[in-house]
Amino acid sequence: MTEPSQLPSGGVSRATWAVTDYDLAKTLNCGQAFRWRRDERGWQGVVAGRWVRLSSDGGLLRAETALPQAAWQWLEHYLQLGLDWPRVLRTFPDDAPMRAALAACRGLRLLRQDPWECLASFLLSATKQIVQIQTIIERLCQSYGARLPTPAGSVAAFSFPTPEQIASLCESDLRACKMGFRAPHLLGAARAVAEGRLDLEELPALSLEEAREHLKRLKGVGPKIADCVLLFGCGFPQAFPVDVWINRALRELYFRNRKLTPRQLGAFAAEHFGPHAGYAQQYLFHYMRTRGEQKLSG
DNA sequence: GCCCAGGTGAAGC
DNA sequence: GCTTCACATGGG
């Protein structure tokens, strides 16, 4: 990572970073985050309560905000620009499935998302397709988030509703966003966080097992959603969410289609994929989902 | 209509 | 322990 160069113009602020092995399109569109939208100039999203447009240009990553920025740590942290990627790569097992996934998903990175948005989003993900999760979250933000400043001519943008904002609603308010049986789960999680019964900021200081148990106290949070929050929002690189795709991937690629329980798969993953198993998981997930598709440019 | 989707919890063996 | 099923909603 290099220091960003900054060129203010009007209310807008811009920055540029030199990156290697960083595929913005794959990273923003691989199913770890749900709020990024492609437009003619890049990707629009909301990070740390700010509207931002990201784009890539060869080895350069560009960012544009609606308001002046005194500093960019909030975005560098989200994009994990300080990560020593070659060091992560060296921890992966050298086997045929992993080599294929790495070749197919070159440049895919993990983001460091806000833990609350991550928890709420994955609570809404249960037995939903990614496009439908995106739609539900968009309705939630438009209905109950706060309007954010955007550049002239851009479509409206909204913050992700805080735990307090959601805690003040009732179940039918949430069901109006078409989240179905997930509504009481989201409401319960929002109230637990708003009332201080769950401290998301404390989780990174705990062991993986302790943090997982804290999250699983919430109704609607099992091992899969807990590990998504720990991997994408709390900085546990060894967390390994096992969903239908990973289940399929592991069985097909490592177990010749033998049937295994999620518990057995989790144990295998922890042993086989090493200290950054979660990164390996995201490569296998994206590899399985895009296998057979024509390569998209981004 | 039927089946599936980045699951979970309750109830049945 | 493991298996089965309901739970909302939308798309193929």
Side-chain angles (χ1 to χ4, degrees), chain A residues 95-118:
Chain A
D95 59 36
M98 204 62 235
R99 280 195 296 270
L102 285 166
C105 310
R106 186 179 173 123
L108 175 64
R109 299 297 190 92
L110 290 188
L111 302 167
R112 180 70 175 269
Q113 302 179 57
D114 173 70
W116 163 245
E117 177 171 342
C118 201

Side-chain angles (χ1 to χ4, degrees), chain A residues 4-291:
Chain A
S5 56
Q6 200 168 333
L7 298 168
S9 88
V12 177
S13 199
R14 299 177 208 279
T16 305
W17 296 265
V19 293
T20 51
D21 267 343
Y22 204 117
D23 187 318
L24 192 62
K26 284 197 192 87
T27 298
L28 301 181
N29 202 31
C30 71
Q32 60 178 322
F34 301 101
R35 296 244 280 150
W36 291 98
R37 294 291 175 273
R38 201 195 286 265
D39 69 11
E40 65 284 354
R41 289 163 56 190
W43 295 85
Q44 290 187 37
V46 174
V47 176
R50 302 160 170 94
W51 178 94
V52 57
R53 178 186 280 126
L54 300 174
S55 57
S56 58
D57 176 6
L60 291 183
L61 196 158
R62 301 182 192 282
E64 169 191 353
T65 56
L67 299 178
Q69 303 300 324
W72 293 88
Q73 300 98 305
W74 55 277
L75 187 57
E76 293 166 348
H77 184 247
Y78 179 85
L79 295 169
Q80 292 285 286
L81 295 181
L83 179 76
D84 184 350
W85 175 244
R87 196 177 67 78
V88 174
L89 259 181
R90 287 196 294 273
T91 67
F92 290 155
D94 184 20
D95 59 36
M98 204 62 235
R99 280 195 296 270
L102 285 166
C105 310
R106 186 179 173 123
L108 175 64
R109 299 297 190 92
L110 290 188
L111 302 167
R112 180 70 175 269
Q113 302 179 57
D114 173 70
W116 163 245
E117 177 171 342
C118 201
L119 170 59
S121 297
F122 280 97
L123 268 172
L124 298 176
S125 75
T127 59
K128 274 288 173 197
Q129 297 189 91
I130 289 177
V131 284
Q132 297 171 344
I133 303 167
Q134 292 170 339
T135 304
I136 293 171
I137 291 173
E138 190 164 312
R139 276 193 286 253
L140 180 70
C141 294
Q142 285 182 4
S143 301
Y144 303 116
R147 183 80 182 260
L148 296 174
T150 52
S154 293
V155 296
F158 299 85
S159 64
F160 195 92
T162 63
E164 292 74 18
Q165 284 170 321
I166 292 184
S168 72
L169 303 173
C170 64
E171 192 178 313
S172 61
D173 295 329
L174 294 175
R175 281 185 187 261
C177 299
K178 303 298 181 188
M179 63 182 71
F181 63 85
R182 304 160 193 82
H185 299 162
L186 178 59
L187 188 56
R191 291 186 174 161
V193 173
E195 293 165 13
R197 286 179 279 117
L198 173 64
D199 183 356
L200 293 171
E201 305 306 320
E202 165 206 45
L203 296 181
L206 304 178
S207 72
L208 176 63
E209 293 73 20
E210 289 174 320
R212 194 183 276 142
E213 289 314 307
H214 277 239
L215 286 168
K216 283 169 65 180
R217 288 179 199 151
L218 298 172
K219 265 283 170 50
V221 177
K224 190 272 174 183
I225 292 175
D227 273 31
C228 284
V229 177
L230 295 175
L231 179 61
F232 302 134
C234 298
F236 285 90
Q238 69 275 48
F240 194 93
V242 177
D243 71 335
V244 288
W245 288 95
I246 288 300
N247 199 322
R248 201 173 296 158
L250 294 184
R251 266 177 32 202
E252 194 178 306
L253 301 174
Y254 289 96
F255 292 98
R256 302 198 305 170
N257 292 318
R258 258 196 300 143
K259 238 184 142 179
L260 294 160
T261 64
R263 213 182 166 72
Q264 291 172 302
L265 289 176
F268 166 75
E271 177 273 317
H272 185 70
F273 292 106
H276 299 90
Y279 281 85
Q281 180 271 164
Q282 198 60 20
Y283 270 77
L284 291 171
F285 175 77
H286 196 246
Y287 172 55
M288 292 299 283
R289 275 177 32 88
T290 55
R291 207 166 48 163

